[in-house]
Amino acid sequence: MIIKSKKDLEIIKNNYADRVRRRSSNKGKSERIDILVGMATCGIAAGAQEVFDTLSKEVASLNNPDIKVIPVGCMGYCHSEPTVVVCLRKREPTIYGKVNATIAHQIIEDHIMANKVVKSHVMDMEFDRTLSGGQP
Amino acid sequence: MSVKSKQVRIALRNCGFINPLNIHEYIAFDGYQALAKVLLNHTPDEVIDIVKESGLKGRGGGGFLTGLKWQLTRQSVSDEKYIICNADEGDPGAFMDRSILEGDPHSVIEAMAIAGYAIGAHHGIIYIRAEYPLAISRLEHAIAQAKSFGLLGKEIFDTPFNFNIELKLGAGAFVCGEETALIHSCEGNRGEPTSKPPFPSVKGYLDKPTSVNNVETFANVPAIINLGAPWFSSIGTETSKGTKVFALAGKVNKVGLIEVPMGITLKEIIYDIGGGIVNNKKFKAVQTGGPSGGVITVEDLDTPIDYESLANIGSMMGSGGMIVMDEDDCMVNIAKFYLEFTQEESCGKCTPCRLGTKRMYEILDKITSGDGDMDDINKLETLGNVIKNTALCGLGQTAPNPVLSTLHYFYDEYIAHIVDKSCPAKSCKALLKYSIDAEKCIGCTACARVCPVSCIAGKPKELHIIDQSKCISCGACYDACKFDAVIRP
């Protein structure tokens, strides 16, 4: 579609707001779950592609359209690549570091399916996203 | 998130949050709102005023006011003007621009269109090194998406403004980060700098007025337009506004890509964000500004970091490489490492840089090999100052900084190498001489067996001796000895 006005921009923004909302907020009624995988050059070099493929395959087998695996850019945690963020409803986002295919499988089995955080690979959040949705 | 975070993310606001291959996600996080706002509500002069008022300075290192650069380019009269994005990131250990382009390419595209509108350009160029294949493919994808959505191309947002972006790939020459050399390389010529004036804002790409801005500078622009200049200038110090992205590397526990407000102290960066020095070793110095910068020592751990304070202590902001060093790092060797880099990357056009950096490197090599004499210090200082004052471009003018800065703060280490023929950090191999403690050696032969140059003599159960003339100081004997009998220098 060709965007010709602020209104066109707002339409796309609103259509997609639900899909990305889980990342900036854990509130709302939607059951959506976002699983982000850091896939910049550095993450891929550390094995993020394998993690992404494992997560995608396992999520596909769950047959739940509310769960999405999304490739994103660098999160900045070079010391713990590959990194995965799990965004759930009513929960603070969980950041996992040094994830491999086995841990990825465990994240799906424990965290997504049983709501049990895989504690051994959890990292501290190192920054606040002050500009979420463009608002300070 | 128990502790209040020290980081503030503006340029990196979407990095790691959105799918860089999906323009919808960028739009969902307020993408292209800033472009709509300037095209529909502001004149180009108003846009320049907003950016000037925000206090945004060039994040590539020079620190020139972005709004002023745009204004000077706008004021030049010409039928055609150009906006160029400098993505020729070449400092050893720096990856800020690559991360932004890979994680949030649309923020740079949107900002370039805004800049194009402000200066009166219809054509943008992203000059990026071919060594960044993923960043290039994501940019190409993002540009194609923006075109298909009508956010690049003709009559954007139904206004008379047309804008397009093309990529030019560089072969990865450090000097091409210098704006005049970059412009020549874009034109298909050799990447060599020319003297300024004329500045690119008057005579740049294809002899037309051109504004060259860095990736990170651009990434800040949409946020400034959306949230306003007063918001942006409320972050930072009196003279340096906003945030800076640093690639934190070296001997810290948590290496990473960080974005911090101007005015933060080095102590906060290293200990609060970086998690302290690896293995609890003693902090020695931080190198900022890459091959153009200098070292910051323990004395300045509490100095608020901004463009001015770093320049005052003999370093510079640079593009954002920040390498932390501990007690095991030799400062003479660090200076040598950077000079080796600059003398290789010198384009060779002007004599001070071509020959001067080579001579400085040779002197440093001599000192770290144990062959230096006191006169070498004077030679380094004289050469350094001559190169600084006479080189043609920024590469040469700043190349001596790592040497002059370490000479200033770590003079004793140079003296130790020259007079005592020893390296206090035990890093210069040529100055390390291993020996065997006669009291502790039981003659087990373990050291002699692992010595790669067979320079340890001795019969079983008798004292072993290292032939210093043959020893290459590899340390294998030190590791092999189970009785602590090998003495490390």
Side-chain angles (χ1 to χ4, degrees), chain B residues 144-165:
Chain B
Q145 272 182 332
K147 276 183 186 157
S148 71
F149 277 72
L151 297 164
L152 286 176
K154 287 207 153 75
E155 295 175 0
I156 300 169
F157 285 109
D158 258 343
T159 65
F161 178 63
N162 307 327
F163 192 74
N164 266 311
I165 293 177

Side-chain angles (χ1 to χ4, degrees), chain B residues 427-444:
Chain B
S427 139
C428 296
K429 286 207 162 164
L431 298 174
L432 294 181
K433 291 293 171 214
Y434 287 79
S435 58
I436 293 175
D437 187 334
E439 302 268 303
K440 288 182 178 165
C441 178
I442 63 150
C444 72

Side-chain angles (χ1 to χ4, degrees), chain B residues 35-116:
Chain B
L35 180 61
K37 192 169 168 184
V38 301
L39 292 183
L40 300 170
N41 302 346
H42 292 293
T43 64
D45 287 319
E46 283 168 6
V47 176
I48 287 171
D49 285 341
I50 294 170
V51 177
K52 266 169 79 178
E53 194 196 325
S54 75
L56 177 67
K57 289 180 181 177
R59 297 294 194 243
F64 192 77
L65 272 172
T66 305
L68 188 57
K69 202 176 210 177
W70 289 3
Q71 187 179 33
L72 293 170
T73 316
R74 173 160 188 84
Q75 282 164 354
S76 299
V77 182
S78 173
D79 55 338
E80 188 78 80
K81 291 177 189 179
Y82 296 95
I83 186 93
I84 296 182
C85 172
N86 183 349
D88 190 64
E89 186 173 50
D91 291 17
F95 50 90
M96 300 75 56
D97 297 347
R98 174 175 61 73
S99 297
I100 292 172
L101 293 171
E102 287 179 359
D104 193 17
H106 284 289
S107 68
V108 175
I109 292 169
E110 182 183 5
M112 285 181 74
I114 293 169

Side-chain angles (χ1 to χ4, degrees), chain B residues 142-307:
Chain B
I143 290 170
Q145 272 182 332
K147 276 183 186 157
S148 71
F149 277 72
L151 297 164
L152 286 176
K154 287 207 153 75
E155 295 175 0
I156 300 169
F157 285 109
D158 258 343
T159 65
F161 178 63
N162 307 327
F163 192 74
N164 266 311
I165 293 177
E166 67 169 319
L167 294 186
K168 295 242 186 209
L169 307 192
F174 184 60
V175 72
C176 289
E178 198 281 336
E179 58 181 2
T180 60
L182 185 153
I183 287 168
H184 296 312
S185 179
C186 280
E187 290 167 341
N189 298 319
R190 247 182 111 121
E192 285 182 341
T194 40
S195 58
K196 295 189 272 192
F199 287 91
S201 57
V202 178
K203 199 175 164 189
Y205 181 65
L206 304 177
D207 288 343
K208 306 290 185 188
T210 304
S211 176
V212 182
N213 301 97
N214 169 268
V215 172
E216 189 189 330
T217 314
F218 279 126
N220 277 295
V221 169
I224 292 172
I225 301 291
N226 281 334
L227 300 171
W231 161 77
F232 189 79
S233 62
S234 71
I235 302 163
T237 64
E238 193 62 37
T239 45
S240 299
K241 303 300 185 188
T243 57
K244 180 77 193 86
V245 180
F246 288 105
L248 185 62
K251 307 273 182 68
V252 280
N253 283 314
K254 294 185 188 168
V255 296
L257 189 73
I258 61 167
E259 183 168 352
V260 288
M262 297 278 185
I264 194 171
T265 66
L266 210 50
K267 196 185 255 167
E268 290 173 285
I269 292 181
I270 295 170
Y271 292 95
D272 296 341
I273 298 173
I277 310 289
V278 175
N279 292 331
N280 280 321
K281 293 244 178 181
K282 215 174 126 204
F283 166 78
K284 189 173 200 175
V286 159
Q287 213 281 347
T288 62
S292 309
V295 290
I296 309 172
T297 63
V298 70
E299 288 164 43
D300 290 306
L301 269 181
D302 288 315
T303 305
I305 293 176
D306 64 15
Y307 288 96

Side-chain angles (χ1 to χ4, degrees), chain A residues 1-6 9-10 12-13 16-17 20 23-24 36 39-42 44 70-79 92 125-131 133-136, chain B residues 1 4-5 7 9-10 13-20 24-25 27-30 32-33 36 40-41 95 98 102-103 134 138 148-149 155 157-158 227 231 253-257:
Chain A
M1 101 174 244
I2 300 285
I3 295 171
K4 279 291 169 199
S5 65
K6 276 186 176 172
L9 215 49
E10 285 301 323
I12 294 182
K13 190 181 162 182
Y16 261 76
V20 297
R23 279 172 248 174
S24 49
L36 313 180
M39 296 193 55
T41 298
C42 34
I44 294 171
I70 297 145
V72 297
C74 168
M75 299 178 202
Y77 305 104
C78 308
H79 53 88
E92 287 293 317
M125 182 84 157
E126 286 174 4
F127 54 90
D128 302 326
R129 190 163 184 269
T130 44
L131 284 170
Q135 292 306 310
Chain B
M1 247 189 290
K4 175 85 182 98
S5 168
Q7 296 201 47
R9 296 204 161 184
I10 300 174
R13 62 193 177 281
N14 292 326
C15 272
F17 281 92
I18 65 167
N19 181 347
H24 294 101
E25 294 204 355
I27 292 172
F29 281 113
D30 280 346
Y32 291 102
Q33 300 270 356
L40 300 170
N41 302 346
F95 50 90
R98 174 175 61 73
E102 287 179 359
L134 190 64
R138 287 190 183 164
S148 71
F149 277 72
E155 295 175 0
F157 285 109
D158 258 343
L227 300 171
W231 161 77
N253 283 314
K254 294 185 188 168
V255 296
L257 189 73

